[in-house]
Coordinates of all heavy atoms in Angstrom, one line a residue:
M109 N -16.4 37.4 -34.7 CA -15.8 36.3 -34.3 C -15.0 35.6 -35.4 O -15.5 35.4 -36.3 CB -16.9 35.3 -33.7 CG -16.4 34.1 -33.2 SD -17.7 32.9 -32.6 CE -17.5 33.3 -30.9
P110 N -13.7 35.4 -35.0 CA -12.8 34.7 -36.0 C -13.2 33.3 -36.4 O -13.7 32.5 -35.5 CB -11.5 34.7 -35.5 CG -11.6 35.1 -34.0 CD -13.0 35.6 -33.8
D111 N -13.0 32.9 -37.6 CA -13.4 31.6 -38.1 C -12.2 30.7 -37.9 O -11.1 30.9 -38.4 CB -13.8 31.6 -39.6 CG -14.1 30.3 -40.1 OD1 -14.3 29.3 -39.4 OD2 -14.1 30.1 -41.4
H112 N -12.4 29.7 -36.9 CA -11.3 28.7 -36.7 C -11.4 27.4 -37.4 O -10.7 26.4 -37.0 CB -11.2 28.5 -35.1 CG -10.9 29.7 -34.4 ND1 -9.6 30.3 -34.4 CD2 -11.7 30.5 -33.6 CE1 -9.7 31.5 -33.7 NE2 -10.9 31.5 -33.1
T113 N -12.1 27.3 -38.5 CA -12.3 26.2 -39.3 C -10.9 25.9 -40.0 O -10.4 26.8 -40.7 CB -13.4 26.3 -40.3 OG1 -14.5 26.8 -39.6 CG2 -13.6 25.0 -41.1
P114 N -10.4 24.7 -39.8 CA -9.2 24.4 -40.5 C -9.4 24.3 -42.0 O -10.4 24.1 -42.6 CB -8.8 23.0 -40.0 CG -10.1 22.4 -39.4 CD -11.0 23.6 -39.1
E115 N -8.3 24.8 -42.7 CA -8.3 24.8 -44.2 C -8.4 23.4 -44.7 O -7.8 22.5 -44.1 CB -7.0 25.5 -44.7 CG -6.9 27.0 -44.4 CD -5.7 27.5 -45.1 OE1 -5.6 27.4 -46.3 OE2 -4.9 28.2 -44.5
A116 N -9.1 23.1 -45.8 CA -9.2 21.9 -46.4 C -7.8 21.3 -46.9 O -7.6 20.2 -46.9 CB -10.2 21.8 -47.5
V117 N -7.0 22.3 -47.4 CA -5.7 21.9 -47.9 C -4.7 22.5 -46.9 O -4.6 23.7 -46.7 CB -5.4 22.4 -49.3 CG1 -4.0 22.1 -49.9 CG2 -6.5 21.9 -50.2
S118 N -3.8 21.7 -46.3 CA -2.9 22.1 -45.3 C -1.8 22.9 -46.0 O -1.4 22.8 -47.2 CB -2.4 21.0 -44.6 OG -1.5 20.2 -45.4
A119 N -1.1 23.7 -45.2 CA 0.0 24.5 -45.7 C 1.1 23.5 -46.0 O 1.8 23.7 -47.0 CB 0.5 25.4 -44.6
E120 N 1.3 22.4 -45.3 CA 2.3 21.4 -45.7 C 2.1 20.8 -47.0 O 3.0 20.6 -47.8 CB 2.3 20.3 -44.6 CG 3.5 19.4 -44.6 CD 3.6 18.4 -43.5 OE1 2.6 18.2 -42.7 OE2 4.6 17.8 -43.3
M121 N 0.8 20.6 -47.4 CA 0.6 20.0 -48.8 C 0.8 21.1 -49.8 O 1.4 20.7 -50.9 CB -0.9 19.5 -48.8 CG -1.0 18.2 -48.0 SD -2.6 17.3 -48.3 CE -2.3 16.5 -49.8
R122 N 0.4 22.3 -49.6 CA 0.7 23.3 -50.5 C 2.3 23.5 -50.7 O 2.8 23.7 -51.8 CB 0.1 24.7 -50.0 CG -1.3 24.9 -50.3 CD -1.8 26.3 -50.2 NE -1.4 26.9 -48.8 CZ -2.2 26.7 -47.8 NH1 -3.3 26.1 -47.8 NH2 -1.8 27.4 -46.7
H123 N 3.0 23.4 -49.6 CA 4.5 23.6 -49.7 C 5.1 22.4 -50.5 O 6.0 22.5 -51.2 CB 5.1 23.7 -48.3 CG 4.8 25.0 -47.7 ND1 4.5 25.1 -46.3 CD2 4.6 26.3 -48.2 CE1 4.3 26.3 -46.1 NE2 4.3 27.1 -47.2
A124 N 4.6 21.2 -50.3 CA 5.1 20.0 -51.0 C 4.8 20.1 -52.4 O 5.7 19.8 -53.3 CB 4.4 18.8 -50.4
K125 N 3.7 20.7 -52.8 CA 3.4 20.8 -54.3 C 4.3 21.8 -54.9 O 4.8 21.7 -56.0 CB 1.9 21.3 -54.4 CG 1.4 21.4 -55.9 CD 0.0 21.8 -55.9 CE -0.4 22.0 -57.3 NZ -1.8 22.4 -57.4
L126 N 4.5 23.0 -54.1 CA 5.5 24.0 -54.6 C 6.9 23.5 -54.7 O 7.6 23.7 -55.7 CB 5.4 25.2 -53.7 CG 6.3 26.3 -54.1 CD1 5.9 26.9 -55.5 CD2 6.2 27.4 -53.0
R127 N 7.3 22.7 -53.8 CA 8.7 22.1 -53.8 C 8.8 21.2 -55.0 O 9.8 21.2 -55.7 CB 8.9 21.3 -52.5 CG 9.5 22.1 -51.4 CD 10.1 21.2 -50.3 NE 9.2 20.1 -49.9 CZ 8.2 20.2 -49.0 NH1 8.0 21.3 -48.6 NH2 7.5 19.1 -48.7
A128 N 7.8 20.3 -55.2 CA 7.8 19.4 -56.4 C 8.0 20.3 -57.7 O 8.7 19.9 -58.6 CB 6.7 18.5 -56.4
A129 N 7.2 21.3 -57.8 CA 7.2 22.2 -59.0 C 8.6 22.8 -59.2 O 9.1 22.9 -60.4 CB 6.1 23.2 -58.9
T130 N 9.2 23.3 -58.2 CA 10.5 24.0 -58.3 C 11.7 23.0 -58.4 O 12.6 23.3 -59.2 CB 10.8 24.9 -57.2 OG1 10.7 24.2 -56.0 CG2 9.8 26.1 -57.1
E131 N 11.5 21.8 -57.9 CA 12.6 20.8 -58.0 C 12.6 20.0 -59.3 O 13.5 19.3 -59.6 CB 12.5 19.9 -56.8 CG 12.9 20.6 -55.4 CD 12.6 19.6 -54.3 OE1 12.2 18.5 -54.5 OE2 12.9 20.1 -53.2
H132 N 11.5 20.2 -60.0 CA 11.3 19.4 -61.3 C 11.1 20.3 -62.5 O 10.1 20.0 -63.1 CB 10.3 18.3 -61.0 CG 10.8 17.3 -60.0 ND1 11.7 16.2 -60.3 CD2 10.5 17.2 -58.7 CE1 11.9 15.6 -59.2 NE2 11.2 16.1 -58.3
T133 N 11.9 21.3 -62.6 CA 11.7 22.2 -63.8 C 12.7 21.7 -64.8 O 13.9 21.3 -64.4 CB 11.9 23.6 -63.5 OG1 13.1 23.8 -62.9 CG2 10.9 24.0 -62.5
T134 N 12.5 21.9 -66.1 CA 13.6 21.7 -67.0 C 14.6 22.7 -67.1 O 14.2 23.9 -66.8 CB 12.9 21.5 -68.5 OG1 12.1 22.6 -68.8 CG2 11.9 20.2 -68.6
V135 N 15.8 22.4 -67.3 CA 16.9 23.3 -67.4 C 17.7 23.1 -68.6 O 17.8 22.0 -69.2 CB 17.8 23.1 -66.1 CG1 17.0 23.5 -64.9 CG2 18.4 21.7 -66.0
G136 N 18.3 24.2 -69.1 CA 19.1 24.1 -70.3 C 18.2 24.1 -71.5 O 17.1 24.6 -71.5
Q137 N 18.8 23.5 -72.6 CA 18.0 23.5 -73.9 C 17.9 22.1 -74.4 O 18.6 21.1 -74.0 CB 18.9 24.3 -74.9 CG 19.0 25.7 -74.6 CD 19.8 26.5 -75.6 OE1 20.1 25.9 -76.7 NE2 19.9 27.8 -75.4
V138 N 16.9 21.9 -75.2 CA 16.7 20.6 -75.8 C 18.0 20.2 -76.6 O 18.5 21.1 -77.4 CB 15.4 20.6 -76.7 CG1 15.2 19.3 -77.5 CG2 14.2 20.9 -75.8
V139 N 18.4 19.0 -76.5 CA 19.6 18.5 -77.2 C 19.1 17.3 -78.1 O 18.3 16.5 -77.6 CB 20.6 18.0 -76.2 CG1 21.8 17.4 -77.0 CG2 21.1 19.2 -75.4
T140 N 19.5 17.3 -79.3 CA 19.2 16.2 -80.2 C 20.4 15.2 -80.2 O 21.5 15.7 -80.4 CB 19.0 16.6 -81.7 OG1 17.8 17.5 -81.6 CG2 18.5 15.4 -82.5
T141 N 20.2 14.0 -79.8 CA 21.3 13.0 -79.7 C 21.6 12.5 -81.1 O 20.9 12.6 -82.1 CB 20.9 11.8 -78.7 OG1 19.9 11.1 -79.3 CG2 20.6 12.4 -77.3
D142 N 22.8 11.8 -81.2 CA 23.1 11.2 -82.4 C 22.2 10.2 -83.0 O 22.1 10.0 -84.2 CB 24.6 10.4 -82.3 CG 25.7 11.4 -82.0 OD1 25.5 12.6 -82.3 OD2 26.7 11.0 -81.4
D143 N 21.4 9.5 -82.1 CA 20.4 8.5 -82.5 C 19.1 9.2 -82.9 O 18.1 8.5 -83.1 CB 20.3 7.3 -81.5 CG 19.8 7.8 -80.2 OD1 19.5 9.0 -80.0 OD2 19.6 6.9 -79.3
G144 N 19.0 10.5 -82.8 CA 17.7 11.1 -83.1 C 16.8 11.5 -82.0 O 15.8 12.1 -82.3
R145 N 17.1 11.0 -80.8 CA 16.2 11.3 -79.6 C 16.4 12.8 -79.3 O 17.4 13.4 -79.6 CB 16.6 10.5 -78.5 CG 16.2 9.0 -78.6 CD 16.5 8.2 -77.4 NE 17.9 8.3 -77.0 CZ 18.4 8.8 -75.9 NH1 17.5 9.2 -75.0 NH2 19.7 8.9 -75.7
V146 N 15.4 13.4 -78.6 CA 15.6 14.7 -78.1 C 15.5 14.6 -76.6 O 14.7 13.8 -76.0 CB 14.5 15.7 -78.6 CG1 14.8 16.1 -80.1 CG2 13.1 15.2 -78.4
T147 N 16.4 15.3 -75.9 CA 16.5 15.2 -74.3 C 16.5 16.6 -73.8 O 17.0 17.6 -74.5 CB 17.8 14.5 -74.0 OG1 18.9 15.3 -74.3 CG2 17.8 13.1 -74.6
I148 N 16.2 16.8 -72.5 CA 16.5 18.0 -71.8 C 16.7 17.5 -70.3 O 16.1 16.5 -69.9 CB 15.2 19.0 -71.9 CG1 15.6 20.4 -71.4 CG2 13.9 18.4 -71.3 CD1 14.7 21.4 -71.8
D149 N 17.4 18.3 -69.6 CA 17.8 18.0 -68.3 C 16.6 18.5 -67.3 O 16.0 19.5 -67.6 CB 19.0 18.6 -67.8 CG 20.2 18.0 -68.5 OD1 20.1 16.8 -68.9 OD2 21.3 18.6 -68.7
C150 N 16.3 17.8 -66.2 CA 15.5 18.3 -65.1 C 16.4 18.7 -64.0 O 17.5 18.3 -63.8 CB 14.5 17.1 -64.7 SG 13.5 17.6 -63.3
A151 N 15.9 19.7 -63.3 CA 16.6 20.2 -62.1 C 17.0 19.2 -61.1 O 18.0 19.3 -60.4 CB 15.9 21.4 -61.5
C152 N 16.2 18.1 -61.1 CA 16.5 17.0 -60.2 C 17.8 16.1 -60.6 O 18.1 15.3 -59.8 CB 15.3 16.1 -59.9 SG 14.9 15.0 -61.4
G153 N 18.2 16.3 -61.8 CA 19.3 15.5 -62.2 C 19.0 14.5 -63.3 O 19.8 13.9 -64.0
M154 N 17.7 14.2 -63.5 CA 17.2 13.2 -64.5 C 17.2 13.8 -65.9 O 16.9 15.0 -66.0 CB 15.9 12.7 -64.1 CG 15.3 11.6 -65.0 SD 13.8 10.9 -64.3 CE 13.6 9.5 -65.3
V155 N 17.6 13.0 -66.8 CA 17.5 13.5 -68.2 C 16.2 12.9 -68.8 O 16.0 11.7 -68.8 CB 18.7 12.9 -69.1 CG1 18.7 13.3 -70.5 CG2 20.0 13.5 -68.5
L156 N 15.4 13.8 -69.3 CA 14.0 13.5 -69.8 C 14.2 13.3 -71.4 O 15.0 14.2 -72.0 CB 13.1 14.5 -69.5 CG 12.9 14.8 -68.1 CD1 12.0 16.0 -67.8 CD2 12.6 13.6 -67.2
S157 N 13.6 12.4 -72.0 CA 13.8 12.2 -73.5 C 12.5 11.6 -74.0 O 11.6 11.2 -73.4 CB 14.9 11.3 -73.7 OG 14.5 9.9 -73.3
N158 N 12.4 11.7 -75.4 CA 11.4 11.1 -76.1 C 11.7 9.6 -76.3 O 12.9 9.2 -75.8 CB 11.1 11.7 -77.5 CG 12.2 11.6 -78.4 OD1 13.4 11.6 -78.0 ND2 12.0 11.4 -79.7
G159 N 10.8 8.8 -76.8 CA 11.1 7.4 -76.9 C 10.4 6.9 -78.2 O 9.8 7.7 -78.9
P160 N 10.4 5.6 -78.3 CA 9.8 5.0 -79.5 C 8.2 5.2 -79.6 O 7.6 5.3 -80.6 CB 10.1 3.5 -79.4 CG 10.5 3.2 -78.0 CD 11.0 4.5 -77.4
T161 N 7.6 5.3 -78.4 CA 6.1 5.6 -78.5 C 5.7 6.8 -77.6 O 4.4 6.9 -77.3 CB 5.4 4.3 -77.9 OG1 5.8 4.0 -76.5 CG2 5.7 3.1 -78.7
W162 N 6.5 7.7 -77.2 CA 6.2 8.8 -76.4 C 7.0 10.0 -76.7 O 8.2 9.9 -77.2 CB 6.3 8.6 -74.9 CG 7.7 8.4 -74.4 CD1 8.6 9.4 -74.0 CD2 8.5 7.2 -74.3 NE1 9.8 8.9 -73.6 CE2 9.7 7.5 -73.8 CE3 8.2 5.9 -74.6 CZ2 10.7 6.6 -73.6 CZ3 9.2 4.9 -74.4 CH2 10.4 5.3 -73.9
S163 N 6.5 11.1 -76.6 CA 7.1 12.5 -76.9 C 7.9 13.0 -75.8 O 7.7 12.6 -74.6 CB 6.2 13.5 -77.5 OG 5.4 13.9 -76.4
L164 N 8.8 13.9 -76.0 CA 9.5 14.5 -74.9 C 8.5 15.3 -74.0 O 8.6 15.2 -72.8 CB 10.6 15.6 -75.5 CG 11.3 16.4 -74.5 CD1 12.1 15.5 -73.4 CD2 12.3 17.3 -75.1
D165 N 7.5 15.9 -74.6 CA 6.5 16.6 -73.9 C 5.8 15.6 -73.0 O 5.5 16.0 -71.7 CB 5.5 17.3 -74.8 CG 4.4 18.1 -74.0 OD1 4.8 19.0 -73.3 OD2 3.2 17.7 -74.1
E166 N 5.4 14.4 -73.4 CA 4.7 13.4 -72.6 C 5.6 13.0 -71.5 O 5.2 12.8 -70.3 CB 4.4 12.3 -73.4 CG 3.2 12.5 -74.4 CD 3.0 11.5 -75.3 OE1 3.9 10.8 -75.8 OE2 1.7 11.3 -75.6
H167 N 6.9 12.8 -71.6 CA 7.9 12.4 -70.5 C 7.9 13.5 -69.5 O 7.9 13.3 -68.3 CB 9.2 12.2 -71.2 CG 10.1 11.4 -70.1 ND1 11.4 11.1 -70.5 CD2 10.0 11.2 -68.8 CE1 12.0 10.5 -69.3 NE2 11.1 10.5 -68.4
I168 N 8.0 14.8 -70.0 CA 8.1 15.9 -69.1 C 6.8 16.0 -68.2 O 6.9 16.2 -67.0 CB 8.2 17.3 -69.7 CG1 9.6 17.3 -70.5 CG2 8.0 18.5 -68.9 CD1 9.8 18.5 -71.4
R169 N 5.6 15.8 -68.8 CA 4.3 15.9 -68.0 C 4.3 14.8 -67.1 O 3.9 14.9 -65.9 CB 3.1 15.8 -69.0 CG 3.0 17.1 -69.8 CD 1.9 17.0 -70.8 NE 1.8 18.1 -71.7 CZ 1.1 19.2 -71.5 NH1 0.4 19.3 -70.4 NH2 1.1 20.2 -72.3
L170 N 4.6 13.5 -67.5 CA 4.7 12.4 -66.5 C 5.6 12.6 -65.4 O 5.2 12.3 -64.2 CB 5.0 11.1 -67.3 CG 5.1 9.8 -66.4 CD1 3.7 9.5 -65.7 CD2 5.6 8.7 -67.2
H171 N 6.8 13.1 -65.7 CA 7.8 13.3 -64.6 C 7.3 14.3 -63.6 O 7.3 14.0 -62.4 CB 9.0 13.8 -65.3 CG 10.2 14.0 -64.4 ND1 10.9 12.9 -63.9 CD2 10.7 15.1 -63.8 CE1 11.8 13.4 -63.1 NE2 11.7 14.7 -63.1
R172 N 6.7 15.4 -64.0 CA 6.2 16.4 -63.1 C 5.0 15.9 -62.3 O 4.8 16.2 -61.2 CB 5.8 17.7 -63.9 CG 6.9 18.4 -64.4 CD 6.5 19.6 -65.3 NE 7.7 20.4 -65.7 CZ 7.6 21.3 -66.7 NH1 6.6 21.5 -67.3 NH2 8.7 21.9 -67.0
A173 N 4.1 15.1 -63.0 CA 3.0 14.4 -62.3 C 3.5 13.4 -61.2 O 2.9 13.5 -60.1 CB 2.1 13.9 -63.3
E174 N 4.4 12.7 -61.6 CA 4.9 11.7 -60.5 C 5.5 12.4 -59.4 O 5.4 12.1 -58.2 CB 5.9 10.7 -61.2 CG 5.3 9.7 -62.1 CD 6.3 8.8 -62.8 OE1 7.5 9.3 -63.0 OE2 5.9 7.7 -63.1
A175 N 6.3 13.4 -59.7 CA 7.0 14.3 -58.6 C 5.9 14.9 -57.7 O 6.1 14.9 -56.4 CB 8.0 15.3 -59.2
R176 N 5.0 15.5 -58.2 CA 3.9 16.1 -57.5 C 3.1 15.0 -56.6 O 2.9 15.2 -55.5 CB 2.9 16.8 -58.4 CG 2.0 17.7 -57.8 CD 1.2 18.6 -58.8 NE 0.7 18.0 -60.0 CZ 1.2 18.0 -61.2 NH1 2.2 18.9 -61.3 NH2 0.8 17.4 -62.3
F177 N 2.9 13.9 -57.3 CA 2.1 12.8 -56.5 C 3.0 12.4 -55.3 O 2.6 12.2 -54.2 CB 1.9 11.6 -57.4 CG 1.6 10.4 -56.6 CD1 0.4 10.1 -55.9 CD2 2.5 9.4 -56.4 CE1 0.0 9.1 -55.2 CE2 2.3 8.3 -55.6 CZ 1.0 8.1 -55.1
L178 N 4.3 12.1 -55.5 CA 5.2 11.6 -54.4 C 5.3 12.7 -53.3 O 5.2 12.3 -52.2 CB 6.6 11.2 -55.0 CG 6.6 10.0 -56.0 CD1 8.0 9.9 -56.5 CD2 6.3 8.8 -55.2
A179 N 5.4 13.9 -53.7 CA 5.5 15.0 -52.7 C 4.3 15.1 -51.9 O 4.3 15.2 -50.6 CB 5.9 16.3 -53.4
L180 N 3.1 15.1 -52.5 CA 1.9 15.2 -51.9 C 1.5 13.9 -51.0 O 1.1 14.1 -49.8 CB 0.7 15.5 -52.8 CG 0.7 16.8 -53.5 CD1 -0.3 17.0 -54.6 CD2 0.5 18.0 -52.4
A181 N 1.8 12.8 -51.5 CA 1.5 11.5 -50.8 C 2.3 11.4 -49.6 O 1.8 10.9 -48.6 CB 1.8 10.4 -51.7
A182 N 3.5 12.0 -49.5 CA 4.5 11.9 -48.5 C 3.9 12.8 -47.3 O 4.2 12.4 -46.1 CB 5.8 12.3 -48.9
V183 N 3.2 13.8 -47.5 CA 2.8 14.6 -46.5 C 1.2 14.6 -46.2 O 0.8 15.3 -45.3 CB 3.2 16.1 -46.8 CG1 4.7 16.2 -46.8 CG2 2.5 16.7 -47.9
A184 N 0.6 13.8 -46.9 CA -0.9 13.7 -46.8 C -1.3 13.2 -45.4 O -0.5 12.4 -44.7 CB -1.4 12.7 -47.8
P185 N -2.4 13.7 -44.9 CA -2.8 13.3 -43.6 C -3.0 11.8 -43.4 O -3.4 11.1 -44.2 CB -4.2 14.0 -43.4 CG -4.1 15.2 -44.4 CD -3.3 14.7 -45.5
T186 N -2.6 11.3 -42.2 CA -2.8 10.0 -41.9 C -4.2 9.5 -42.0 O -5.2 10.3 -41.6 CB -2.3 9.6 -40.4 OG1 -0.9 10.0 -40.4 CG2 -2.3 8.2 -40.1
G187 N -4.6 8.4 -42.7 CA -5.9 7.9 -42.7 C -6.7 8.4 -43.9 O -7.8 8.0 -44.2
I188 N -6.1 9.3 -44.7 CA -6.8 9.8 -45.9 C -6.9 8.7 -46.8 O -6.0 7.9 -47.1 CB -6.1 11.0 -46.5 CG1 -6.9 11.7 -47.5 CG2 -4.7 10.6 -47.1 CD1 -6.5 13.1 -48.0
P189 N -8.2 8.5 -47.5 CA -8.2 7.4 -48.4 C -7.4 7.6 -49.6 O -7.2 8.7 -50.1 CB -9.8 7.4 -48.8 CG -10.4 8.1 -47.7 CD -9.4 9.1 -47.2
R190 N -6.9 6.5 -50.2 CA -5.9 6.6 -51.3 C -6.3 5.5 -52.3 O -6.8 4.5 -52.1 CB -4.4 6.3 -50.8 CG -3.9 7.3 -49.8 CD -2.6 6.8 -49.3 NE -2.0 7.8 -48.3 CZ -1.1 8.7 -48.6 NH1 -0.6 8.8 -49.8 NH2 -0.6 9.4 -47.6
L191 N -5.9 5.9 -53.6 CA -5.9 5.0 -54.7 C -4.7 4.0 -54.7 O -4.8 3.0 -55.3 CB -5.9 5.8 -56.1 CG -7.2 6.6 -56.2 CD1 -7.0 7.5 -57.6 CD2 -8.5 5.8 -56.5
V192 N -3.6 4.5 -54.2 CA -2.4 3.7 -54.3 C -1.9 3.4 -52.8 O -1.9 4.3 -52.0 CB -1.3 4.6 -55.0 CG1 0.1 3.9 -55.0 CG2 -1.8 4.9 -56.4
D193 N -1.6 2.2 -52.6 CA -1.0 1.9 -51.3 C 0.2 2.7 -51.0 O 1.0 3.0 -51.8 CB -0.5 0.4 -51.3 CG -1.6 -0.6 -51.3 OD1 -2.8 -0.2 -50.9 OD2 -1.4 -1.7 -51.7
W194 N 0.3 3.2 -49.7 CA 1.3 4.1 -49.4 C 1.8 3.6 -48.0 O 1.0 3.3 -47.2 CB 0.8 5.6 -49.2 CG 2.0 6.5 -49.0 CD1 2.3 7.1 -47.9 CD2 2.8 7.0 -50.1 NE1 3.4 7.9 -48.1 CE2 3.8 7.9 -49.4 CE3 3.0 6.8 -51.4 CZ2 4.7 8.5 -50.1 CZ3 3.9 7.5 -52.1 CH2 4.8 8.3 -51.5
P195 N 3.1 3.6 -47.8 CA 4.1 4.0 -48.7 C 4.3 3.0 -49.8 O 3.9 1.9 -49.6 CB 5.4 4.1 -47.8 CG 5.1 3.3 -46.6 CD 3.6 3.2 -46.4
L196 N 4.9 3.5 -50.9 CA 5.2 2.7 -52.0 C 6.2 1.6 -51.6 O 7.0 1.8 -50.7 CB 5.8 3.4 -53.2 CG 4.8 4.5 -53.8 CD1 5.5 5.3 -54.9 CD2 3.5 3.8 -54.3
R197 N 6.0 0.4 -52.2 CA 6.9 -0.7 -51.8 C 8.1 -0.7 -52.8 O 8.1 -0.4 -53.9 CB 6.3 -2.0 -51.9 CG 5.3 -2.0 -50.7 CD 4.4 -3.3 -50.9 NE 3.1 -2.7 -50.4 CZ 1.9 -3.2 -50.7 NH1 1.9 -4.3 -51.4 NH2 0.9 -2.7 -50.3

């Protein structure tokens, strides 16, 4: 007898996570600016950089995490408990 139990993670959420990962990859090479910052472009069009208290790596990690959160939150099932009010204001 086939198991008709729904999957805990929907295909829509898996696809959202995959889209976020592919739409927010770094492209090109790291560039050092005249003021000493290092930058790299994201496929989404944003330029990621280091700053006075964060590294380029930290900015890349935060950017990808935010993109994944926004993508998953947008397709999450209605009524699912959240840490953050949704939709964002």
Side-chain angles (χ1 to χ4, degrees):
M109 174 180 261
D111 180 12
H112 296 291
T113 305
E115 291 185 53
V117 177
S118 70
E120 191 172 13
M121 289 188 78
R122 282 194 305 274
H123 292 142
K125 185 177 175 182
L126 180 60
R127 273 192 314 278
T130 58
E131 292 172 0
H132 296 277
T133 59
T134 53
V135 293
Q137 296 184 4
V138 172
V139 174
T140 302
T141 64
D142 291 340
D143 63 0
R145 290 181 304 118
V146 288
T147 67
I148 193 163
D149 293 334
C150 179
C152 73
M154 187 171 184
V155 177
L156 308 174
S157 68
N158 66 324
T161 60
W162 68 91
S163 69
L164 176 59
D165 182 63
E166 288 170 323
H167 192 178
I168 292 168
R169 289 175 187 274
L170 175 64
H171 183 76
R172 288 178 179 162
E174 287 179 330
R176 192 170 41 254
F177 165 76
L178 292 172
L180 290 170
V183 300
T186 301
I188 192 169
R190 296 175 182 259
L191 292 172
V192 177
D193 289 335
W194 191 262
L196 295 176
R197 292 172 220 161

